[in-house]
Amino acid sequence: MSIYITGVGVISAIGLNTEENYQSLKDQKTGIEPLQFFPSEKEILAGEVKLSNQELIQQHNLTAPISRTSILGLIAAKEAWKGNEHNSQIRTGIISGTSVGGMDNTEIYYEQRLNEQNPDISLITTHDSGNTTERIAAELGISGYINTISTACSSGANAIMLGARLMQQNKLDRVLVGASDSFSNFTEKGFRSLMIYSDEWVKPFDDNRNGLNLGEGGGFILLENKKSLDITNNKPLASLVGWSNTTDAYHQTASSPDGKGATLAVEGALKKANLNPSDISYINAHGTGTPNNDLSESTAFINIFKDKVPPFSSTKAYTGHTLAASGAIEAVYAVLALQNNVIFPNLNYSIPINETKLVPETQWNDRNEVNAVLSNSLGFGGNSSSVIFKKV
Amino acid sequence: MYINACSTISHQNSFRNENWINELTVLEEGSELITPNYKEFIAPSAIRRMSKIIRMGLTCSKDCVEQSGIENPDAIIVGTGLGCLSDTEKFLNNSLTIKGLIPPTSFIQSTHNTIAGQISLALKNHNYNITHTQNSLSFEHSLIDAILCLNEEDSNVLVGAADEDIPLLGELINELGFKGVSNHLTSGASFFMLSNNKTANSKAILVDSYTVGLNSSDPSEIINAFLTQNNRSLNDIDLVLSNSFGSIGATEIKALFSPIKVTPIEQYTGYHLTNAAFSTHLATDILHQNATTKSVLIYNTLYNNNIGLTLLDSLEA
């Protein structure tokens, strides 16, 4: 059964919608800058969405309290859903991924409480991750199957494949899938405690990479089956053909040197898609820019593709690492790559990783036919996920 | 699908106790979690660093593996309403109070998928691994995913749920104005080995699970539609295990299913967002041990507008 993508939506450091994101990718313009809106004691490089909560709430007529994670998810979900209507014939659901849920509000509340400053208890009501998705569902009038996935940095990819599986087993006809995460002190200090937050611009797949820059944002795609398409008359932008979720089982946070989890995920997704490695036109890598991730992921590429690794790049140097949202934001980028036959350049790269010698794409490349895009997401807990998108 | 192993850590004497269903006691305020000897399941050096939710989840998982003899399940699926609260609070506190370098352990263990991740590490399992977190429906969503897996290529799926109480949670619940609830907040975990294969260990059949989030319809329509979908009617149900918050809805729930016997389970589990997993273990053992009970329906409305329905049959049904 075919799974069609008929809508995409994204908000990130490089744009408030899909068109702005595409333009920034084309201009090779990063969204990673010193934090402007988030209060911080020192200069921190991060991929911040360039509007404050207040501005976003006003622009989209939302009511507080709402977490920034919900706001970002909602904006992306609305863009992906745009123009669609509810229809009792189309069983519709929503699945969102998030790693920290409403932590942005929780940490404000917790600090107020610690300092005995009349803490605003309403802020804590947005903490749980399920609330993030329910806020989005409520705004779009979706009820029924409403679910949240939290597998750290692979949440978005896992939300996408769960949607596809529910459709394949005839539980849903249409499902809005994606993820969002807001920047937070909690995650910034967390990655710093692991010594993998870089104070320089992130350099994915470079031999001198020294850590990640956090980002924030939301990405959603609308999946429909044939039955739904016949009613909505939506035009498919691309199709979702392969997916796989596997586990590295090496360490709670670090990836294995042999890239076991990522290798299994890519293999599984190719098998599900019924494609050969040589059918992949472009890999949008997880490529966080940490020494450990990029080496492990590169090793997985060699395990699968041998000496014929397809053109690949990481877009983390544009958006920063948006955690749960990354797989969803990059799913939108994968659809854009298919629609426009482009491969996005990897920023800040100069020297290949010594152990693997793999060279990412560094030029805007629109000369090739892009037929199938592989998107990787690897995370804490050893969660490794790959999804494959194809031209319709 | 067959339920080939169950394991629960709760405020009841539920762990590795076949007779627990006859020993259920109504919880009193301030009751305590009854913990097994974790050292029998987890290396002592590792236990020290683990919060309650990880210890519970890992121990129940290992117990299911031992009971079923399935050492390498095809999928590991975990539901949690609020995730690893203890480590989350610890890191939050550290991040706001420690100047300079903060120890990473509580950050590493703060993400919701820590439980499933630790299980995969303990079992050296490279298969499907996921964590669902949809407040009161987190467990049902895990069951639905497990059913998807078993309908695909998988034969054995380890699925469960865990939630932990921390002192801050009770304080917040009080401040949010929920009267009389904070003394009944609990921790708990239940895990299951689901299989396509009937074995000597099989205890009951999981027929189906279904959720409706943000419901605005009449609950009886949803219940009937779910039963019809599974070729049943209410007359086929011998027992309903219900679950609601405070005393809200208890009378309405009884009326909804009358004349079928309804047992509210929150009196035995206390409140945590995945206590429907406890109901599933309870239903399994009732179906296994009590020959007159053929079908049990679990009706979870811990959150009023979020409905979870799970149907189980006895092996002989």
Side-chain angles (χ1 to χ4, degrees):
Chain A
M1 185 185 109
S2 298
I3 311 282
Y4 301 101
I5 297 163
T6 60
V8 293
V10 58
I11 179 167
S12 76
I14 58 168
L16 302 173
N17 54 46
T18 306
E19 199 184 319
E20 286 185 20
N21 272 265
Y22 184 70
Q23 195 57 47
S24 298
L25 290 166
K26 196 169 181 177
D27 297 342
Q28 301 188 35
K29 186 170 156 274
T30 182
I32 299 170
E33 293 172 5
L35 284 173
Q36 298 169 38
F37 301 99
F38 193 88
S40 58
E41 295 149 21
K42 55 171 194 165
E43 189 173 291
I44 293 169
L45 280 177
E48 210 176 8
V49 170
K50 310 294 183 233
L51 285 175
S52 69
N53 277 357
Q54 234 171 356
E55 289 167 309
L56 291 168
I57 286 172
Q58 258 174 9
Q59 276 187 11
H60 293 269
N61 285 321
L62 305 172
T63 42
I66 183 167
S67 68
R68 191 167 172 88
T69 301
S70 276
I71 297 172
L72 299 176
L74 185 54
I75 292 169
K78 268 169 127 177
E79 191 192 0
W81 177 254
K82 199 178 170 186
N84 281 280
E85 288 170 1
H86 291 286
N87 180 318
S88 59
Q89 299 299 306
I90 310 175
R91 294 164 300 169
T92 303
I94 180 168
I95 307 166
S96 183
T98 180
S99 67
V100 292
M103 182 55 78
D104 56 302
N105 277 344
T106 301
E107 64 188 18
I108 295 171
Y109 171 81
Y110 197 86
E111 188 168 20
Q112 290 170 347
R113 190 183 169 95
L114 272 182
N115 299 333
E116 296 173 7
Q117 297 166 319
N118 283 325
D120 175 4
I121 186 80
S122 75
L123 289 173
I124 206 74
T125 60
T126 64
H127 176 80
D128 90 86
S129 303
N131 175 276
T132 305
T133 312
E134 285 180 356
R135 280 302 291 262
I136 302 170
E139 293 280 344
L140 297 175
I142 296 173
S143 62
Y145 190 95
I146 300 172
N147 190 11
T148 309
I149 300 299
S150 197
T151 52
C153 310
S154 65
S155 307
N158 284 333
I160 291 168
M161 69 179 83
L162 179 60
R165 292 168 60 228
L166 285 158
M167 286 168 69
Q168 286 211 324
Q169 293 199 32
N170 195 27
K171 306 278 182 199
L172 293 172
D173 302 306
R174 173 170 67 175
V175 51
L176 195 53
V177 290
S180 65
D181 257 326
S182 153
F183 186 85
S184 75
N185 222 327
F186 184 91
T187 39
E188 186 259 330
K189 294 217 165 137
F191 284 104
R192 235 173 248 289
S193 77
L194 288 167
M195 315 276 216
I196 52 175
Y197 202 106
S198 178
D199 286 320
E200 299 165 20
W201 268 279
V202 61
K203 297 183 277 287
F205 295 107
D206 188 272
D207 201 44
N208 293 318
R209 68 201 180 283
N210 62 359
L212 54 80
N213 304 140
L214 271 183
E216 62 175 0
F220 270 87
I221 60 178
L222 184 62
L223 305 179
E224 287 184 73
N225 64 12
K226 179 76 170 54
K227 175 189 152 193
S228 177
L229 277 191
D230 286 343
I231 298 170
T232 62
N233 286 318
N234 284 333
K235 185 178 162 294
L237 309 173
S239 58
L240 172 58
V241 294
W243 52 82
S244 180
N245 160 324
T246 63
T247 314
D248 204 31
Y250 173 73
H251 183 269
Q252 187 64 34
T253 53
S255 302
S256 61
D258 60 356
K260 173 111 183 181
T263 304
L264 290 170
V266 175
E267 270 173 3
L270 284 167
K271 187 177 163 219
K272 175 77 194 164
N274 201 15
L275 291 176
N276 293 315
S278 59
D279 295 325
I280 297 297
S281 326
Y282 165 53
I283 306 171
N284 187 296
H286 191 56
T288 57
T290 65
N292 176 243
N293 176 84
D294 293 8
L295 177 58
S296 179
E297 193 176 7
S298 300
T299 304
F301 290 161
I302 293 171
N303 290 344
I304 302 279
F305 298 100
K306 314 291 183 226
D307 57 348
K308 293 193 177 73
V309 175
F312 72 95
S313 65
S314 160
T315 44
K316 297 287 193 295
Y318 297 82
T319 58
H321 187 0
T322 59
L323 304 180
S326 65
I329 289 174
E330 289 155 23
V332 175
Y333 294 172
V335 173
L336 289 171
L338 291 165
Q339 283 183 299
N340 299 286
N341 290 307
V342 293
I343 289 167
F344 306 120
N346 191 105
L347 301 180
N348 308 335
Y349 165 87
S350 48
I351 309 161
I353 295 175
N354 189 37
E355 293 90 333
T356 60
K357 304 283 188 292
L358 290 183
V359 179
E361 291 295 303
T362 55
Q363 301 297 317
W364 176 260
N365 183 342
D366 55 6
R367 288 157 299 175
N368 294 322
E369 180 82 355
V370 177
N371 289 316
V373 178
L374 169 72
S375 178
N376 274 352
S377 297
L378 312 168
F380 274 23
N383 284 130
S384 313
S385 290
S386 296
V387 281
I388 299 175
F389 303 94
K390 249 186 98 181
K391 279 204 167 104
V392 182
Chain B
M1 279 137 220
Y2 297 94
I3 299 178
N4 288 353
C6 308
S7 182
T8 292
I9 296 172
S10 69
H11 286 229
Q12 302 289 337
N13 187 18
S14 50
F15 191 79
R16 289 196 163 179
N17 175 13
E18 286 269 307
N19 199 40
W20 75 293
I21 62 170
N22 303 313
E23 297 172 11
L24 292 176
T25 52
V26 174
L27 295 184
E28 294 183 2
E29 285 194 11
S31 69
E32 304 240 340
L33 184 72
I34 301 176
T35 52
N37 183 5
Y38 289 124
K39 286 184 197 139
E40 290 175 19
F41 299 89
I42 310 168
S45 57
I47 294 177
R48 255 186 318 114
R49 290 191 301 272
M50 287 179 180
S51 64
K52 187 162 52 179
I53 193 170
I54 303 171
R55 291 175 184 189
M56 291 190 300
L58 197 50
T59 300
C60 288
S61 297
K62 286 196 161 180
D63 187 23
C64 282
V65 166
E66 282 186 28
Q67 285 180 38
S68 64
I70 302 296
E71 289 176 357
N72 196 27
D74 301 306
I76 294 170
I77 302 172
V78 176
T80 179
L82 288 170
C84 301
L85 283 179
S86 169
D87 280 306
T88 300
E89 193 199 356
K90 194 169 171 189
F91 192 77
L92 193 51
N93 197 307
N94 285 347
S95 72
L96 291 165
T97 53
I98 297 178
K99 298 276 173 218
L101 208 60
I102 309 167
T105 308
S106 54
F107 178 65
I108 290 172
Q109 297 187 155
S110 72
T111 59
H112 284 54
N113 64 337
T114 307
I115 311 151
Q118 286 291 330
I119 298 169
S120 76
L121 280 170
L123 303 183
K124 299 183 176 59
N125 184 290
H126 295 283
N127 300 329
Y128 184 82
N129 187 292
I130 199 160
T131 302
H132 296 264
T133 177
Q134 193 57 46
N135 51 57
S136 59
L137 299 179
S138 306
F139 176 65
E140 283 84 345
H141 278 296
S142 303
L143 276 187
I144 292 169
D145 195 354
I147 294 169
L148 294 179
C149 286
L150 290 168
N151 282 334
E152 290 163 355
E153 291 171 355
D154 295 351
S155 303
N156 297 290
V157 173
L158 178 65
V159 57
D163 266 297
E164 68 181 352
D165 180 34
I166 58 170
L168 177 64
L169 193 60
E171 292 169 28
L172 294 174
I173 295 271
N174 278 339
E175 285 166 37
L176 285 165
F178 295 102
K179 297 263 181 293
V181 172
S182 61
N183 292 331
H184 294 283
L185 295 179
T186 50
S187 303
S190 294
F191 278 73
F192 306 86
M193 191 67 78
L194 296 186
S195 176
N196 279 328
N197 307 317
K198 187 175 179 182
T199 70
N201 294 317
S202 298
K203 290 164 182 283
I205 293 168
L206 171 69
V207 181
D208 199 5
S209 188
Y210 181 71
T211 62
V212 180
L214 302 181
N215 177 49
S216 55
S217 319
D218 181 350
S220 63
E221 282 175 24
I222 289 168
I223 296 160
N224 286 329
F226 172 71
L227 292 173
T228 308
Q229 178 82 26
N230 288 290
N231 306 314
R232 312 294 168 94
S233 75
L234 267 183
N235 295 330
D236 301 319
I237 306 299
D238 302 306
L239 172 67
V240 173
L241 299 179
S242 75
N243 185 16
S244 63
F245 192 60
S247 54
I248 315 164
T251 326
E252 287 92 331
I253 292 173
K254 278 216 152 68
L256 204 55
F257 293 103
S258 175
I260 302 163
K261 185 186 173 195
V262 177
T263 303
I265 61 104
E266 63 272 13
Q267 56 184 326
Y268 303 125
T269 63
Y271 296 112
H272 56 271
L273 289 174
T274 48
N275 58 359
F278 176 102
S279 308
T280 303
H281 185 171
L282 182 59
T284 303
D285 280 359
I286 290 172
L287 289 163
H288 187 51
Q289 295 177 26
N290 181 345
T292 58
T293 309
K294 303 283 187 201
S295 282
V296 179
L297 180 67
I298 297 169
Y299 180 66
N300 172 11
T301 49
L302 190 60
Y303 275 25
N304 224 0
N305 297 328
N306 290 349
I307 298 180
L309 287 162
T310 302
L311 180 62
L312 296 100
D313 279 350
S314 69
L315 290 176
E316 292 80 24

